[in-house]
Amino acid sequence: MEIVICKSKEEASRKAADMIAALVKKNPKCVLGLATGSTPVAMYSELAKDVKAKKISFKQVKTWNLDEYYGLAPTHDQSYRYFMNENLFKKIDIQLKNTHVLNGLAKNPEKECKSYEAAIKRAGGIDLQVLGIGSDGHIAFNEPGTSLKSRTSMVHLTPSTIKDNARLFFGGNMDEVPKSALSMGVGTICEAKKIVLLAFGAGKADAVKGMVEGGMSQFCTASALQAHNDAWVFCDEAAASKLKLKEYYAWRSETVLKG
Ligand code: GLP
């Protein structure tokens, strides 16, 4: 795992966007895994700038998102499909038919999850997966206690995630946050060829510490990335503040990035 510690969220977002832009340039037909939440928004804006400046094109790119609230229609303004349309897809030249988000209204969630995984496989697998991290160390909606080999399935949110998500979304109303979701599994996520995880702010410092320097454990599902051989963490100084070896990681990632 490479940890890239940046002075600001803006710098980290630009560096992460550069990594994605380089892949899209090299392989215009690449398959991306995308994430929601407040964290990747600045990086998505950077990618939109690159498209506007004609540096890259998403015309042939295919995307699969990590998760969706169960019970929300794609048109609901708090659904992750809506979020992606507003924060990225409308701002770039991607074909909407090439973008995929789990259907939160699926009558048969198990079937929906199985066919989602099958579609990813048919597309050749995910070349690069974007991730955020929950304050309890979750990736996608894989809460503490989820098997590190889990597959895409129906999952249930912890009270702390419901609280976090209500604070940032749903107008602060916890009662409105769905308690269940459809989510790519930890095992599914770890099959991506490359992983780019973003983490900003002091509120993520414990989660980052657990992911990078804790033992690999289902108590912090992001720690599964320790076993991935091409995982990159782009964070600001606040999110990295609890890391024991932060100077070493900063030096190493500098060297690797430049090399
Ligand atoms: C939700 C999403 C995660 C995201 C997390 C953090 O739980 N399912 O994919 O990483 O929120 O969100 P934020 O970036 O707003 O802190």
Side-chain angles (χ1 to χ4, degrees):
M1 203 189 284
E2 291 302 333
I3 324 296
V4 185
I5 304 170
C6 300
K7 291 240 153 9
S8 65
K9 171 183 163 172
E10 290 70 30
E11 187 192 333
S13 301
R14 185 59 250 176
K15 281 192 175 163
D18 284 343
M19 193 166 258
I20 296 172
L23 171 68
V24 173
K25 234 181 197 167
K26 192 172 153 209
N27 177 8
K29 289 186 177 177
C30 66
V31 177
L32 298 179
L34 297 177
T36 51
S38 53
T39 307
V41 172
M43 184 189 73
Y44 290 154
S45 299
E46 291 302 315
L47 289 171
K49 278 188 209 161
D50 289 352
V51 171
K52 213 171 164 204
K54 302 211 180 315
K55 289 184 186 157
I56 47 168
S57 168
F58 283 79
K59 276 211 175 98
Q60 302 178 83
V61 171
K62 290 187 177 142
T63 68
W64 270 267
N65 257 79
L66 285 171
D67 45 12
E68 180 60 283
Y69 289 113
Y70 192 57
L72 292 197
T75 48
H76 191 289
D77 64 1
Q78 298 296 329
S79 73
Y80 282 171
R81 160 54 80 180
Y82 188 92
F83 178 98
M84 289 310 299
N85 288 349
E86 295 302 308
N87 288 287
L88 185 65
F89 301 150
K90 279 186 182 172
K91 300 179 177 174
I92 59 175
D93 58 349
I94 201 161
Q95 303 184 62
L96 222 50
K97 68 171 168 71
N98 286 342
T99 69
H100 306 83
V101 182
L102 283 150
N103 176 10
L105 293 184
K107 289 213 170 71
N108 185 338
E110 205 178 315
K111 196 172 156 208
E112 168 70 8
C113 294
K114 279 210 171 112
S115 54
Y116 201 72
E117 289 227 357
I120 294 173
K121 271 211 179 96
R122 276 199 305 277
I126 289 175
D127 293 305
L128 185 151
Q129 175 68 57
V130 176
L131 293 174
I133 186 168
S135 56
D136 62 3
H138 72 245
I139 46 174
F141 265 136
N142 295 293
E143 297 284 32
T146 306
S147 161
L148 300 186
K149 288 190 171 173
S150 67
R151 309 301 307 180
T152 305
S153 63
M154 165 93 98
V155 297
H156 307 286
L157 313 190
T158 59
S160 82
T161 295
I162 292 170
K163 201 167 150 204
D164 282 352
N165 288 5
R167 199 177 55 230
L168 296 161
F169 304 96
F170 293 97
N173 188 349
M174 275 179 76
D175 294 336
E176 287 203 4
V177 184
K179 311 285 177 282
S180 304
L182 302 183
S183 174
M184 270 193 207
V186 184
T188 320
I189 292 168
C190 289
E191 281 169 8
K193 291 164 198 116
K194 193 179 196 81
I195 296 202
V196 167
L197 184 144
L198 302 161
F200 305 132
K204 298 290 170 73
D206 283 321
V208 169
K209 168 90 181 152
M211 165 175 71
V212 180
E213 294 179 343
M216 203 159 99
S217 150
Q218 63 177 15
F219 196 68
C220 172
T221 54
S223 67
L225 302 185
Q226 290 175 16
H228 196 283
N229 62 11
D230 198 9
W232 292 74
V233 176
F234 291 88
C235 56
D236 61 6
E237 287 172 351
S241 60
K242 296 198 174 171
L243 293 174
K244 206 169 161 188
L245 295 184
K246 61 183 173 215
E247 282 82 16
Y248 167 66
Y249 304 137
W251 167 79
R252 191 176 67 186
S253 69
E254 267 274 287
T255 316
V256 175
L257 268 180
K258 279 189 185 144

PDB file of all heavy atoms in Angstrom, residues 35-40 66-67 69 80 131-135 138-143 157 161 164-165 167-169 183 198 200 204, ligand 1:
ATOM      1  N   ALA A  35     -16.852   5.717  -6.530  1.00  0.00           N
ATOM      2  CA  ALA A  35     -17.350   5.839  -5.158  1.00  0.00           C
ATOM      3  C   ALA A  35     -18.145   7.129  -4.999  1.00  0.00           C
ATOM      4  O   ALA A  35     -17.930   8.094  -5.732  1.00  0.00           O
ATOM      5  CB  ALA A  35     -16.165   5.853  -4.192  1.00  0.00           C
ATOM      6  N   THR A  36     -19.017   7.130  -4.013  1.00  0.00           N
ATOM      7  CA  THR A  36     -19.768   8.359  -3.682  1.00  0.00           C
ATOM      8  C   THR A  36     -19.233   8.910  -2.355  1.00  0.00           C
ATOM      9  O   THR A  36     -18.168   8.522  -1.905  1.00  0.00           O
ATOM     10  CB  THR A  36     -21.266   8.031  -3.557  1.00  0.00           C
ATOM     11  OG1 THR A  36     -21.377   6.916  -2.679  1.00  0.00           O
ATOM     12  CG2 THR A  36     -21.875   7.701  -4.911  1.00  0.00           C
ATOM     13  N   GLY A  37     -20.008   9.802  -1.734  1.00  0.00           N
ATOM     14  CA  GLY A  37     -19.567  10.443  -0.488  1.00  0.00           C
ATOM     15  C   GLY A  37     -18.970  11.799  -0.826  1.00  0.00           C
ATOM     16  O   GLY A  37     -18.718  12.108  -2.003  1.00  0.00           O
ATOM     17  N   SER A  38     -18.725  12.601   0.193  1.00  0.00           N
ATOM     18  CA  SER A  38     -18.207  13.954  -0.051  1.00  0.00           C
ATOM     19  C   SER A  38     -16.741  13.922  -0.502  1.00  0.00           C
ATOM     20  O   SER A  38     -16.283  14.809  -1.231  1.00  0.00           O
ATOM     21  CB  SER A  38     -18.338  14.799   1.222  1.00  0.00           C
ATOM     22  OG  SER A  38     -17.738  14.114   2.305  1.00  0.00           O
ATOM     23  N   THR A  39     -16.015  12.880  -0.099  1.00  0.00           N
ATOM     24  CA  THR A  39     -14.569  12.844  -0.344  1.00  0.00           C
ATOM     25  C   THR A  39     -14.145  12.914  -1.820  1.00  0.00           C
ATOM     26  O   THR A  39     -13.261  13.706  -2.149  1.00  0.00           O
ATOM     27  CB  THR A  39     -13.957  11.603   0.341  1.00  0.00           C
ATOM     28  OG1 THR A  39     -14.348  11.628   1.714  1.00  0.00           O
ATOM     29  CG2 THR A  39     -12.451  11.597   0.250  1.00  0.00           C
ATOM     30  N   PRO A  40     -14.727  12.113  -2.732  1.00  0.00           N
ATOM     31  CA  PRO A  40     -14.201  12.145  -4.109  1.00  0.00           C
ATOM     32  C   PRO A  40     -14.693  13.316  -4.960  1.00  0.00           C
ATOM     33  O   PRO A  40     -14.264  13.445  -6.119  1.00  0.00           O
ATOM     34  CB  PRO A  40     -14.678  10.815  -4.704  1.00  0.00           C
ATOM     35  CG  PRO A  40     -15.832  10.392  -3.887  1.00  0.00           C
ATOM     36  CD  PRO A  40     -15.726  11.045  -2.548  1.00  0.00           C
ATOM     37  N   LEU A  66     -19.793   1.507  -6.396  1.00  0.00           N
ATOM     38  CA  LEU A  66     -19.651   0.597  -5.263  1.00  0.00           C
ATOM     39  C   LEU A  66     -20.966   0.139  -4.643  1.00  0.00           C
ATOM     40  O   LEU A  66     -21.117  -1.009  -4.258  1.00  0.00           O
ATOM     41  CB  LEU A  66     -18.875   1.297  -4.135  1.00  0.00           C
ATOM     42  CG  LEU A  66     -17.383   1.473  -4.296  1.00  0.00           C
ATOM     43  CD1 LEU A  66     -16.867   2.382  -3.188  1.00  0.00           C
ATOM     44  CD2 LEU A  66     -16.686   0.122  -4.238  1.00  0.00           C
ATOM     45  N   ASP A  67     -21.906   1.084  -4.500  1.00  0.00           N
ATOM     46  CA  ASP A  67     -23.049   0.753  -3.643  1.00  0.00           C
ATOM     47  C   ASP A  67     -24.252   1.654  -3.910  1.00  0.00           C
ATOM     48  O   ASP A  67     -24.156   2.648  -4.628  1.00  0.00           O
ATOM     49  CB  ASP A  67     -22.644   0.824  -2.159  1.00  0.00           C
ATOM     50  CG  ASP A  67     -21.815   2.076  -1.829  1.00  0.00           C
ATOM     51  OD1 ASP A  67     -21.753   2.990  -2.671  1.00  0.00           O
ATOM     52  OD2 ASP A  67     -21.232   2.131  -0.738  1.00  0.00           O
ATOM     53  N   TYR A  69     -28.145   2.814  -1.719  1.00  0.00           N
ATOM     54  CA  TYR A  69     -29.096   2.611  -0.618  1.00  0.00           C
ATOM     55  C   TYR A  69     -30.232   1.720  -1.084  1.00  0.00           C
ATOM     56  O   TYR A  69     -30.747   1.895  -2.199  1.00  0.00           O
ATOM     57  CB  TYR A  69     -29.692   3.952  -0.184  1.00  0.00           C
ATOM     58  CG  TYR A  69     -28.716   4.841   0.534  1.00  0.00           C
ATOM     59  CD1 TYR A  69     -28.288   6.030  -0.030  1.00  0.00           C
ATOM     60  CD2 TYR A  69     -28.241   4.493   1.797  1.00  0.00           C
ATOM     61  CE1 TYR A  69     -27.392   6.851   0.631  1.00  0.00           C
ATOM     62  CE2 TYR A  69     -27.343   5.311   2.465  1.00  0.00           C
ATOM     63  CZ  TYR A  69     -26.932   6.482   1.882  1.00  0.00           C
ATOM     64  OH  TYR A  69     -26.058   7.286   2.531  1.00  0.00           O
ATOM     65  N   TYR A  80     -27.392   7.220  -4.683  1.00  0.00           N
ATOM     66  CA  TYR A  80     -26.035   7.321  -5.199  1.00  0.00           C
ATOM     67  C   TYR A  80     -26.024   7.464  -6.727  1.00  0.00           C
ATOM     68  O   TYR A  80     -25.108   8.065  -7.287  1.00  0.00           O
ATOM     69  CB  TYR A  80     -25.214   6.103  -4.737  1.00  0.00           C
ATOM     70  CG  TYR A  80     -24.755   6.219  -3.282  1.00  0.00           C
ATOM     71  CD1 TYR A  80     -24.155   5.156  -2.623  1.00  0.00           C
ATOM     72  CD2 TYR A  80     -24.906   7.412  -2.569  1.00  0.00           C
ATOM     73  CE1 TYR A  80     -23.709   5.272  -1.310  1.00  0.00           C
ATOM     74  CE2 TYR A  80     -24.472   7.535  -1.260  1.00  0.00           C
ATOM     75  CZ  TYR A  80     -23.876   6.459  -0.631  1.00  0.00           C
ATOM     76  OH  TYR A  80     -23.432   6.588   0.667  1.00  0.00           O
ATOM     77  N   LEU A 131     -12.049   4.656  -3.999  1.00  0.00           N
ATOM     78  CA  LEU A 131     -12.681   4.403  -2.701  1.00  0.00           C
ATOM     79  C   LEU A 131     -12.578   5.618  -1.793  1.00  0.00           C
ATOM     80  O   LEU A 131     -11.599   6.368  -1.865  1.00  0.00           O
ATOM     81  CB  LEU A 131     -11.976   3.249  -1.971  1.00  0.00           C
ATOM     82  CG  LEU A 131     -12.048   1.832  -2.520  1.00  0.00           C
ATOM     83  CD1 LEU A 131     -11.149   0.914  -1.690  1.00  0.00           C
ATOM     84  CD2 LEU A 131     -13.480   1.319  -2.508  1.00  0.00           C
ATOM     85  N   GLY A 132     -13.562   5.766  -0.926  1.00  0.00           N
ATOM     86  CA  GLY A 132     -13.442   6.646   0.233  1.00  0.00           C
ATOM     87  C   GLY A 132     -13.306   5.708   1.425  1.00  0.00           C
ATOM     88  O   GLY A 132     -13.147   4.501   1.264  1.00  0.00           O
ATOM     89  N   ILE A 133     -13.406   6.252   2.616  1.00  0.00           N
ATOM     90  CA  ILE A 133     -13.367   5.375   3.811  1.00  0.00           C
ATOM     91  C   ILE A 133     -14.329   5.948   4.846  1.00  0.00           C
ATOM     92  O   ILE A 133     -14.397   7.169   5.047  1.00  0.00           O
ATOM     93  CB  ILE A 133     -11.918   5.243   4.361  1.00  0.00           C
ATOM     94  CG1 ILE A 133     -11.847   4.229   5.502  1.00  0.00           C
ATOM     95  CG2 ILE A 133     -11.337   6.598   4.778  1.00  0.00           C
ATOM     96  CD1 ILE A 133     -10.415   3.825   5.891  1.00  0.00           C
ATOM     97  N   GLY A 134     -15.092   5.072   5.472  1.00  0.00           N
ATOM     98  CA  GLY A 134     -15.987   5.520   6.526  1.00  0.00           C
ATOM     99  C   GLY A 134     -15.192   5.786   7.799  1.00  0.00           C
ATOM    100  O   GLY A 134     -14.078   5.280   7.959  1.00  0.00           O
ATOM    101  N   SER A 135     -15.749   6.552   8.728  1.00  0.00           N
ATOM    102  CA  SER A 135     -14.985   6.863   9.943  1.00  0.00           C
ATOM    103  C   SER A 135     -14.760   5.604  10.788  1.00  0.00           C
ATOM    104  O   SER A 135     -13.870   5.570  11.634  1.00  0.00           O
ATOM    105  CB  SER A 135     -15.655   7.973  10.749  1.00  0.00           C
ATOM    106  OG  SER A 135     -16.968   7.597  11.048  1.00  0.00           O
ATOM    107  N   HIS A 138     -14.854   1.508   7.163  1.00  0.00           N
ATOM    108  CA  HIS A 138     -15.508   0.697   6.119  1.00  0.00           C
ATOM    109  C   HIS A 138     -15.174   1.194   4.718  1.00  0.00           C
ATOM    110  O   HIS A 138     -14.878   2.369   4.516  1.00  0.00           O
ATOM    111  CB  HIS A 138     -17.027   0.617   6.327  1.00  0.00           C
ATOM    112  CG  HIS A 138     -17.797   1.865   6.045  1.00  0.00           C
ATOM    113  ND1 HIS A 138     -18.476   2.568   7.012  1.00  0.00           N
ATOM    114  CD2 HIS A 138     -18.035   2.537   4.896  1.00  0.00           C
ATOM    115  CE1 HIS A 138     -19.090   3.604   6.468  1.00  0.00           C
ATOM    116  NE2 HIS A 138     -18.835   3.613   5.180  1.00  0.00           N
ATOM    117  N   ILE A 139     -15.197   0.271   3.763  1.00  0.00           N
ATOM    118  CA  ILE A 139     -15.118   0.634   2.345  1.00  0.00           C
ATOM    119  C   ILE A 139     -16.419   0.184   1.692  1.00  0.00           C
ATOM    120  O   ILE A 139     -16.976  -0.836   2.084  1.00  0.00           O
ATOM    121  CB  ILE A 139     -13.869   0.029   1.630  1.00  0.00           C
ATOM    122  CG1 ILE A 139     -13.672  -1.443   1.975  1.00  0.00           C
ATOM    123  CG2 ILE A 139     -12.625   0.840   1.955  1.00  0.00           C
ATOM    124  CD1 ILE A 139     -12.538  -2.121   1.195  1.00  0.00           C
ATOM    125  N   ALA A 140     -16.881   0.962   0.722  1.00  0.00           N
ATOM    126  CA  ALA A 140     -18.231   0.816   0.162  1.00  0.00           C
ATOM    127  C   ALA A 140     -19.172   0.877   1.369  1.00  0.00           C
ATOM    128  O   ALA A 140     -19.107   1.822   2.157  1.00  0.00           O
ATOM    129  CB  ALA A 140     -18.385  -0.443  -0.660  1.00  0.00           C
ATOM    130  N   PHE A 141     -20.006  -0.162   1.567  1.00  0.00           N
ATOM    131  CA  PHE A 141     -20.825  -0.171   2.790  1.00  0.00           C
ATOM    132  C   PHE A 141     -20.512  -1.431   3.595  1.00  0.00           C
ATOM    133  O   PHE A 141     -21.378  -2.015   4.228  1.00  0.00           O
ATOM    134  CB  PHE A 141     -22.317  -0.115   2.439  1.00  0.00           C
ATOM    135  CG  PHE A 141     -22.887   1.279   2.455  1.00  0.00           C
ATOM    136  CD1 PHE A 141     -23.726   1.712   1.433  1.00  0.00           C
ATOM    137  CD2 PHE A 141     -22.627   2.166   3.487  1.00  0.00           C
ATOM    138  CE1 PHE A 141     -24.271   2.990   1.439  1.00  0.00           C
ATOM    139  CE2 PHE A 141     -23.167   3.454   3.506  1.00  0.00           C
ATOM    140  CZ  PHE A 141     -23.996   3.865   2.480  1.00  0.00           C
ATOM    141  N   ASN A 142     -19.227  -1.846   3.548  1.00  0.00           N
ATOM    142  CA  ASN A 142     -18.831  -3.056   4.265  1.00  0.00           C
ATOM    143  C   ASN A 142     -18.431  -2.701   5.686  1.00  0.00           C
ATOM    144  O   ASN A 142     -17.288  -2.324   5.957  1.00  0.00           O
ATOM    145  CB  ASN A 142     -17.685  -3.746   3.513  1.00  0.00           C
ATOM    146  CG  ASN A 142     -18.149  -4.249   2.160  1.00  0.00           C
ATOM    147  OD1 ASN A 142     -18.961  -5.167   2.087  1.00  0.00           O
ATOM    148  ND2 ASN A 142     -17.680  -3.618   1.095  1.00  0.00           N
ATOM    149  N   GLU A 143     -19.398  -2.831   6.568  1.00  0.00           N
ATOM    150  CA  GLU A 143     -19.251  -2.393   7.952  1.00  0.00           C
ATOM    151  C   GLU A 143     -18.392  -3.375   8.766  1.00  0.00           C
ATOM    152  O   GLU A 143     -18.162  -4.509   8.331  1.00  0.00           O
ATOM    153  CB  GLU A 143     -20.637  -2.283   8.582  1.00  0.00           C
ATOM    154  CG  GLU A 143     -21.543  -1.241   7.924  1.00  0.00           C
ATOM    155  CD  GLU A 143     -21.196   0.196   8.309  1.00  0.00           C
ATOM    156  OE1 GLU A 143     -20.014   0.502   8.552  1.00  0.00           O
ATOM    157  OE2 GLU A 143     -22.119   1.021   8.354  1.00  0.00           O
ATOM    158  N   LEU A 157     -26.383  -1.075   7.688  1.00  0.00           N
ATOM    159  CA  LEU A 157     -25.497  -0.002   8.161  1.00  0.00           C
ATOM    160  C   LEU A 157     -25.461   0.081   9.685  1.00  0.00           C
ATOM    161  O   LEU A 157     -26.453  -0.170  10.359  1.00  0.00           O
ATOM    162  CB  LEU A 157     -25.952   1.344   7.593  1.00  0.00           C
ATOM    163  CG  LEU A 157     -26.261   1.386   6.096  1.00  0.00           C
ATOM    164  CD1 LEU A 157     -26.453   2.834   5.643  1.00  0.00           C
ATOM    165  CD2 LEU A 157     -25.168   0.741   5.278  1.00  0.00           C
ATOM    166  N   THR A 161     -22.507   4.942  10.964  1.00  0.00           N
ATOM    167  CA  THR A 161     -22.536   5.302   9.539  1.00  0.00           C
ATOM    168  C   THR A 161     -23.824   6.068   9.221  1.00  0.00           C
ATOM    169  O   THR A 161     -23.800   7.059   8.477  1.00  0.00           O
ATOM    170  CB  THR A 161     -22.435   4.020   8.672  1.00  0.00           C
ATOM    171  OG1 THR A 161     -21.147   3.445   8.901  1.00  0.00           O
ATOM    172  CG2 THR A 161     -22.585   4.312   7.196  1.00  0.00           C
ATOM    173  N   ASP A 164     -23.177   9.531  10.434  1.00  0.00           N
ATOM    174  CA  ASP A 164     -22.245  10.248   9.534  1.00  0.00           C
ATOM    175  C   ASP A 164     -22.951  10.679   8.257  1.00  0.00           C
ATOM    176  O   ASP A 164     -22.799  11.808   7.795  1.00  0.00           O
ATOM    177  CB  ASP A 164     -21.087   9.325   9.101  1.00  0.00           C
ATOM    178  CG  ASP A 164     -20.024   9.182  10.186  1.00  0.00           C
ATOM    179  OD1 ASP A 164     -20.098   9.907  11.193  1.00  0.00           O
ATOM    180  OD2 ASP A 164     -19.125   8.335  10.023  1.00  0.00           O
ATOM    181  N   ASN A 165     -23.712   9.745   7.687  1.00  0.00           N
ATOM    182  CA  ASN A 165     -24.356  10.053   6.410  1.00  0.00           C
ATOM    183  C   ASN A 165     -25.470  11.071   6.572  1.00  0.00           C
ATOM    184  O   ASN A 165     -25.720  11.870   5.670  1.00  0.00           O
ATOM    185  CB  ASN A 165     -24.862   8.768   5.736  1.00  0.00           C
ATOM    186  CG  ASN A 165     -23.703   7.942   5.210  1.00  0.00           C
ATOM    187  OD1 ASN A 165     -22.541   8.279   5.417  1.00  0.00           O
ATOM    188  ND2 ASN A 165     -24.000   6.850   4.545  1.00  0.00           N
ATOM    189  N   ARG A 167     -25.360  13.476   8.703  1.00  0.00           N
ATOM    190  CA  ARG A 167     -24.716  14.770   8.919  1.00  0.00           C
ATOM    191  C   ARG A 167     -24.376  15.417   7.578  1.00  0.00           C
ATOM    192  O   ARG A 167     -24.536  16.608   7.379  1.00  0.00           O
ATOM    193  CB  ARG A 167     -23.448  14.566   9.752  1.00  0.00           C
ATOM    194  CG  ARG A 167     -22.965  15.834  10.416  1.00  0.00           C
ATOM    195  CD  ARG A 167     -21.760  15.584  11.291  1.00  0.00           C
ATOM    196  NE  ARG A 167     -20.687  14.945  10.549  1.00  0.00           N
ATOM    197  CZ  ARG A 167     -20.030  13.847  10.966  1.00  0.00           C
ATOM    198  NH1 ARG A 167     -20.352  13.290  12.104  1.00  0.00           N
ATOM    199  NH2 ARG A 167     -19.058  13.328  10.250  1.00  0.00           N
ATOM    200  N   LEU A 168     -23.918  14.597   6.635  1.00  0.00           N
ATOM    201  CA  LEU A 168     -23.482  15.136   5.349  1.00  0.00           C
ATOM    202  C   LEU A 168     -24.600  15.194   4.315  1.00  0.00           C
ATOM    203  O   LEU A 168     -24.569  15.999   3.401  1.00  0.00           O
ATOM    204  CB  LEU A 168     -22.333  14.276   4.800  1.00  0.00           C
ATOM    205  CG  LEU A 168     -21.070  14.307   5.651  1.00  0.00           C
ATOM    206  CD1 LEU A 168     -20.169  13.128   5.349  1.00  0.00           C
ATOM    207  CD2 LEU A 168     -20.307  15.601   5.419  1.00  0.00           C
ATOM    208  N   PHE A 169     -25.559  14.290   4.453  1.00  0.00           N
ATOM    209  CA  PHE A 169     -26.637  14.208   3.462  1.00  0.00           C
ATOM    210  C   PHE A 169     -27.982  14.136   4.196  1.00  0.00           C
ATOM    211  O   PHE A 169     -28.028  14.331   5.391  1.00  0.00           O
ATOM    212  CB  PHE A 169     -26.447  12.963   2.566  1.00  0.00           C
ATOM    213  CG  PHE A 169     -25.079  12.954   1.878  1.00  0.00           C
ATOM    214  CD1 PHE A 169     -24.012  12.243   2.414  1.00  0.00           C
ATOM    215  CD2 PHE A 169     -24.857  13.690   0.724  1.00  0.00           C
ATOM    216  CE1 PHE A 169     -22.757  12.244   1.793  1.00  0.00           C
ATOM    217  CE2 PHE A 169     -23.606  13.703   0.113  1.00  0.00           C
ATOM    218  CZ  PHE A 169     -22.566  12.980   0.641  1.00  0.00           C
ATOM    219  N   SER A 183     -24.218  -3.490  -1.757  1.00  0.00           N
ATOM    220  CA  SER A 183     -22.820  -3.053  -1.790  1.00  0.00           C
ATOM    221  C   SER A 183     -21.903  -4.105  -2.395  1.00  0.00           C
ATOM    222  O   SER A 183     -22.070  -5.297  -2.142  1.00  0.00           O
ATOM    223  CB  SER A 183     -22.364  -2.754  -0.351  1.00  0.00           C
ATOM    224  OG  SER A 183     -20.987  -2.464  -0.315  1.00  0.00           O
ATOM    225  N   LEU A 198      -9.197   7.688  -1.130  1.00  0.00           N
ATOM    226  CA  LEU A 198      -9.025   9.074  -0.687  1.00  0.00           C
ATOM    227  C   LEU A 198      -9.517   9.212   0.753  1.00  0.00           C
ATOM    228  O   LEU A 198     -10.547   8.623   1.105  1.00  0.00           O
ATOM    229  CB  LEU A 198      -9.851  10.019  -1.565  1.00  0.00           C
ATOM    230  CG  LEU A 198      -9.561   9.987  -3.066  1.00  0.00           C
ATOM    231  CD1 LEU A 198     -10.720  10.579  -3.842  1.00  0.00           C
ATOM    232  CD2 LEU A 198      -8.295  10.748  -3.371  1.00  0.00           C
ATOM    233  N   PHE A 200      -9.763  12.401   3.821  1.00  0.00           N
ATOM    234  CA  PHE A 200      -9.451  13.779   4.220  1.00  0.00           C
ATOM    235  C   PHE A 200     -10.018  14.117   5.600  1.00  0.00           C
ATOM    236  O   PHE A 200     -11.133  13.709   5.934  1.00  0.00           O
ATOM    237  CB  PHE A 200     -10.049  14.773   3.208  1.00  0.00           C
ATOM    238  CG  PHE A 200      -9.619  14.511   1.784  1.00  0.00           C
ATOM    239  CD1 PHE A 200     -10.545  14.479   0.757  1.00  0.00           C
ATOM    240  CD2 PHE A 200      -8.278  14.281   1.483  1.00  0.00           C
ATOM    241  CE1 PHE A 200     -10.142  14.226  -0.548  1.00  0.00           C
ATOM    242  CE2 PHE A 200      -7.874  14.029   0.178  1.00  0.00           C
ATOM    243  CZ  PHE A 200      -8.812  14.003  -0.847  1.00  0.00           C
ATOM    244  N   LYS A 204     -11.079  11.224   9.825  1.00  0.00           N
ATOM    245  CA  LYS A 204     -10.728   9.950   9.189  1.00  0.00           C
ATOM    246  C   LYS A 204      -9.390   9.399   9.730  1.00  0.00           C
ATOM    247  O   LYS A 204      -8.931   8.347   9.280  1.00  0.00           O
ATOM    248  CB  LYS A 204     -10.630  10.123   7.663  1.00  0.00           C
ATOM    249  CG  LYS A 204     -11.935  10.553   6.992  1.00  0.00           C
ATOM    250  CD  LYS A 204     -12.976   9.434   7.011  1.00  0.00           C
ATOM    251  CE  LYS A 204     -14.354   9.872   6.582  1.00  0.00           C
ATOM    252  NZ  LYS A 204     -14.497  10.116   5.173  1.00  0.00           N
TER     253      LYS A 204
HETATM  254  C1  GLP B   1     -20.538   5.999   2.647  1.00  0.00           C
HETATM  255  C2  GLP B   1     -20.145   5.351   1.333  1.00  0.00           C
HETATM  256  C3  GLP B   1     -18.644   5.114   1.277  1.00  0.00           C
HETATM  257  C4  GLP B   1     -17.895   6.398   1.626  1.00  0.00           C
HETATM  258  C5  GLP B   1     -18.285   6.845   3.009  1.00  0.00           C
HETATM  259  C6  GLP B   1     -17.550   8.094   3.463  1.00  0.00           C
HETATM  260  O1  GLP B   1     -20.554   5.076   3.668  1.00  0.00           O
HETATM  261  N1  GLP B   1     -20.831   4.126   1.137  1.00  0.00           N
HETATM  262  O2  GLP B   1     -18.287   4.652  -0.017  1.00  0.00           O
HETATM  263  O3  GLP B   1     -16.522   6.176   1.540  1.00  0.00           O
HETATM  264  O4  GLP B   1     -19.691   7.093   3.009  1.00  0.00           O
HETATM  265  O5  GLP B   1     -18.204   9.233   3.020  1.00  0.00           O
HETATM  266  P1  GLP B   1     -17.550  10.686   3.031  1.00  0.00           P
HETATM  267  O6  GLP B   1     -16.605  10.694   1.881  1.00  0.00           O
HETATM  268  O7  GLP B   1     -18.691  11.621   2.802  1.00  0.00           O
HETATM  269  O8  GLP B   1     -16.887  10.852   4.332  1.00  0.00           O
END
